[in-house]
Amino acid sequence: MKNLLKKSFLGVAVIAIFFPLISCEEEPPTDLTKTMFIPLPVSVEATGGEFEVTAKTVIYAQEGLETTAAFLSARLGECTGINLKTEVTAKAPRKGIYLAASGTDDESYEITIGKKLVTISGSPAGCFFGVQTLLQALEKNDNEITVATGAIKDSPYYEYRGAMLDVARHFFNVEEVKQFIDFLAMYKMNVLHLHLSDDQGWRIEIKSWPNLTTHGGSLEVGGGAGGFYTQEEFKKLVQYAAERHITIIPEIDMPGHTNAVLASYAELNCDGKARELYIGTRVGFSTLCTDKEVTYKFIDDVVREISEITPGSWFHIGGDESHSTPLKDYIPFIERVQDIVLSHDKTVVGWDEIANAGLVEGAVVQFWADEENTAMGIGKGAKVIMSPAKRAYMDMKYDTTTVLGLAWAAYIEVDEGYDWDPENYSDAIKRENILGVEAPLWSETVTNIDEVEFMVFPRLPGYAEIGWTAPDKRNWDEYKIRLAGYGKKWDKLGIDYYRSPVVPWEE
Ligand code: TNX
């Protein structure tokens, strides 16, 4: 409508004559506070006007924000078909879209949307998150792309907002992992935990132990061809994530969940005999030989090679479900492995079982099942990542009719995935103990990216909001309306989401 008005003076005259009373009301409502943001920002104010994105709009960026400017231009191009020019500038322009460095180093950002100029200011990470917010505020009507004017101030509640992808049970290639990273980026998540090894497969090249991938990575659950990332490919994933302000946490699970290792190198078994490759889904039957010296040489090589190509500060040592490792062996093993991780300048992360051992300074315990373990970890000074299987496991079925997924922890409908609060989950775990939230996707039953999408959408945006938005601002009945608005966007993006009956999807 507005384009028409602009194009023809005659049109304006005709409309003015025949519709004099509704000239303003003709426009779609331009109320920024009505935008369906996920996660919900700290504050949104509307000023009632609109900013129009046209082919002439330029994205200006201060130095250091070029990658985010290019990202915004590419995303706008995908959803609108117009490719905006980007330009580095030192001073604020009078019109266009302007990414400005605020001088802060946290993840907060501010957006002001005027009729001529949109300014997003923050640290590089803050600006990137602000860009996600701006993209959610875009309206496309006929040929017009507009944003309602106003102001947004925003910052996250938790510093750690993650998801995990199990690439060991089923392998997901570089392109698929990039798509997963894109899902995280849309909702301002900042951590991707990659579960890189398990009984069924080893998925990252280790140059000093090549059989790990050539043999140990050759299969996956069900017996199909597995796969692995070369170190060059892994670096590309790290880079792709970094451009989206997402840190990759590599996990090498040990001493259990190691059958693929034990099949690749006979000497890592206590009896010196290589195991067969495993394509089933049992857990708890494998263990590294904790009292052989070569085991620690192996671990040191693995941690060193992976740490060299991982700029993020974390290294995840797994440590879960080591049912075949007696506790008297498990404890010194976990303690020694933590020292190895420290010697490569990384921060230790492990599943809650590691709290049975002594913990090094800075160690992080990932709560998934056992509150007592987690409480022990807190007692030993650890921070906690909240991934309670009953609420946050994206491999759990939605309900009894879900074909994919498992159900050992719970059925997790979309409301159950959203409607809980990390700091009120367990008496033993308080706000000050919590680093953040992570939603894992285990892949025993999930074989390709379409199936990933089905398990992840629409639950993932909820975990992102739990991580970003303060608990007193979250409410399922209000959230479900916002969530419903995303169905059409996902349709357009070709995302195979679960059309949950508890979400009031738009027709
Ligand atoms: C438990 S969660 C596991 C994984 C399985 C998952 C399936 C955790 C630390 N261990 O090995 O894949 O359940 O839901």
Side-chain angles (χ1 to χ4, degrees):
M1 186 68 186
K2 201 168 152 212
N3 268 348
L4 267 182
L5 288 179
K6 276 197 188 139
K7 270 187 202 123
S8 119
F9 177 72
L10 185 68
V12 175
V14 169
I15 285 169
I17 291 164
F18 290 103
F19 306 105
L21 294 174
I22 54 165
S23 55
C24 298
E25 283 75 9
E26 277 288 301
E27 295 291 308
T30 51
D31 183 348
L32 190 63
T33 64
K34 299 265 155 54
T35 307
M36 304 288 179
F37 295 112
I38 297 180
L40 195 68
V42 170
S43 77
V44 181
E45 278 167 35
T47 48
E50 62 178 30
F51 173 92
E52 193 183 349
V53 180
T54 71
K56 286 195 194 125
T57 306
V58 176
I59 303 170
Y60 299 94
Q62 281 189 10
E63 224 171 285
L65 300 170
E66 298 90 336
T67 319
T68 297
F71 179 94
L72 175 59
S73 171
R75 270 290 174 285
L76 281 171
E78 281 161 28
C79 56
T80 66
I82 50 180
N83 289 304
L84 300 191
K85 228 178 85 185
T86 63
E87 213 177 290
V88 177
T89 176
K91 65 173 210 295
R94 280 186 309 159
K95 55 182 188 171
I97 300 173
Y98 176 44
L99 306 183
S102 60
T104 52
D105 64 355
D106 58 17
E107 297 182 300
S108 65
Y109 67 88
E110 291 189 18
I111 308 180
T112 50
I113 305 165
K115 290 183 180 164
K116 296 256 153 50
L117 176 67
V118 175
T119 304
I120 302 178
S121 66
S123 66
C127 279
F128 183 79
F129 299 134
V131 159
Q132 301 307 318
T133 303
L134 180 67
L135 287 168
Q136 291 186 350
L138 284 181
E139 296 269 347
K140 200 175 170 193
N141 293 305
D142 301 322
N143 293 321
E144 236 188 41
I145 299 136
T146 57
V147 192
T149 59
I152 297 172
K153 288 195 172 121
D154 205 6
S155 58
Y157 194 71
Y158 289 114
E159 69 181 85
Y160 184 114
R161 305 176 304 279
M164 189 205 81
L165 183 62
D166 171 5
V167 297
R169 270 53 176 273
H170 281 96
F171 180 65
F172 298 92
N173 64 30
V174 169
E175 278 317 304
E176 291 171 314
V177 177
K178 283 184 177 174
Q179 284 187 54
F180 196 78
I181 291 171
D182 284 338
F183 300 154
L184 271 52
M186 288 197 274
Y187 305 100
K188 307 185 179 72
M189 290 177 125
N190 62 359
V191 174
L192 171 64
H193 167 184
L194 285 177
H195 183 73
L196 289 166
S197 68
D198 213 302
D199 291 317
Q200 300 85 348
W202 182 282
R203 307 302 181 199
I204 182 160
E205 176 188 27
I206 303 296
K207 298 192 189 211
S208 52
W209 296 78
N211 293 353
L212 289 172
T213 44
T214 52
H215 185 61
S218 60
L219 296 180
E220 60 181 11
V221 166
F228 64 91
Y229 314 116
T230 64
Q231 293 197 359
E232 284 311 307
E233 286 172 331
F234 186 79
K235 283 189 210 162
K236 290 208 177 99
L237 284 178
V238 164
Q239 173 66 23
Y240 189 85
E243 284 166 8
R244 287 152 184 78
H245 297 274
I246 291 171
T247 301
I248 291 188
I249 301 190
E251 178 188 352
I252 297 299
D253 204 346
M254 52 194 154
H257 290 279
T258 42
N259 187 74
V261 177
L262 301 169
S264 306
Y265 287 96
E267 67 260 43
L268 295 174
N269 293 272
C270 281
D271 63 9
K273 292 194 188 106
R275 298 293 182 265
E276 293 294 315
L277 290 172
Y278 181 67
I279 58 170
T281 59
R282 278 188 304 121
V283 299
F285 61 89
S286 56
T287 182
L288 292 173
C289 191
T290 55
D291 43 38
K292 271 190 173 178
E293 212 34 48
V294 64
T295 298
Y296 300 95
K297 164 83 177 115
F298 162 75
I299 294 168
D300 188 67
D301 286 338
V302 168
V303 176
R304 175 177 41 79
E305 288 198 30
I306 295 177
S307 295
E308 275 167 9
I309 55 174
T310 304
S313 59
W314 288 295
F315 194 100
H316 201 305
I317 61 173
D320 59 313
E321 298 174 318
S322 297
H323 306 317
S324 309
T325 324
L327 196 60
K328 67 163 184 34
D329 298 336
Y330 177 85
I331 289 173
F333 173 87
I334 291 293
E335 290 173 354
R336 196 160 164 190
V337 171
Q338 291 180 80
D339 288 338
I340 293 175
V341 170
L342 284 194
S343 77
H344 296 290
D345 292 326
K346 296 292 171 189
T347 302
V348 172
V349 189
W351 297 106
D352 59 48
E353 288 95 324
I354 68 162
N356 286 287
L359 296 179
V360 294
E361 212 183 311
V364 175
V365 166
Q366 185 165 12
F367 168 58
W368 67 282
D370 197 317
E371 290 177 40
E372 272 175 42
N373 282 343
T374 310
M376 242 194 308
I378 290 169
K380 293 175 182 178
K383 287 263 184 195
V384 178
I385 297 166
M386 292 297 286
S387 304
K390 291 187 171 91
R391 294 292 194 155
Y393 267 27
M394 297 190 291
D395 64 315
M396 290 299 121
K397 293 176 186 288
Y398 293 97
D399 65 19
T400 54
T401 67
T402 315
V403 176
L404 295 170
L406 304 174
W408 66 264
Y411 293 106
I412 307 181
E413 244 306 348
V414 184
D415 52 348
E416 272 137 356
Y418 176 81
D419 204 2
W420 62 283
D421 182 3
E423 64 201 84
N424 282 315
Y425 188 89
S426 160
D427 290 341
I429 310 168
K430 307 209 161 48
R431 166 90 206 264
E432 65 265 26
N433 309 126
I434 301 175
L435 194 61
V437 188
E438 181 184 299
L441 180 66
W442 300 97
S443 65
E444 284 93 336
T445 66
V446 180
T447 68
N448 58 46
I449 192 73
D450 290 340
E451 293 177 353
V452 168
E453 289 170 0
F454 186 82
M455 297 310 281
V456 158
F457 287 96
R459 287 184 288 204
L460 182 93
Y463 299 120
E465 179 151 307
I466 293 173
W468 186 279
T469 306
D472 60 354
K473 296 196 73 183
R474 296 199 293 106
N475 167 308
W476 164 254
D477 284 320
E478 182 273 330
Y479 171 74
K480 73 180 178 193
I481 313 277
R482 277 186 282 132
L483 185 63
Y486 282 78
K488 280 184 186 153
K489 296 191 188 198
W490 297 334
D491 285 334
K492 275 191 206 130
L493 290 170
I495 292 176
D496 283 314
Y497 62 99
Y498 163 60
R499 274 187 86 84
S500 164
V502 303
V503 180
W505 305 106
E506 293 164 6
E507 278 316 306

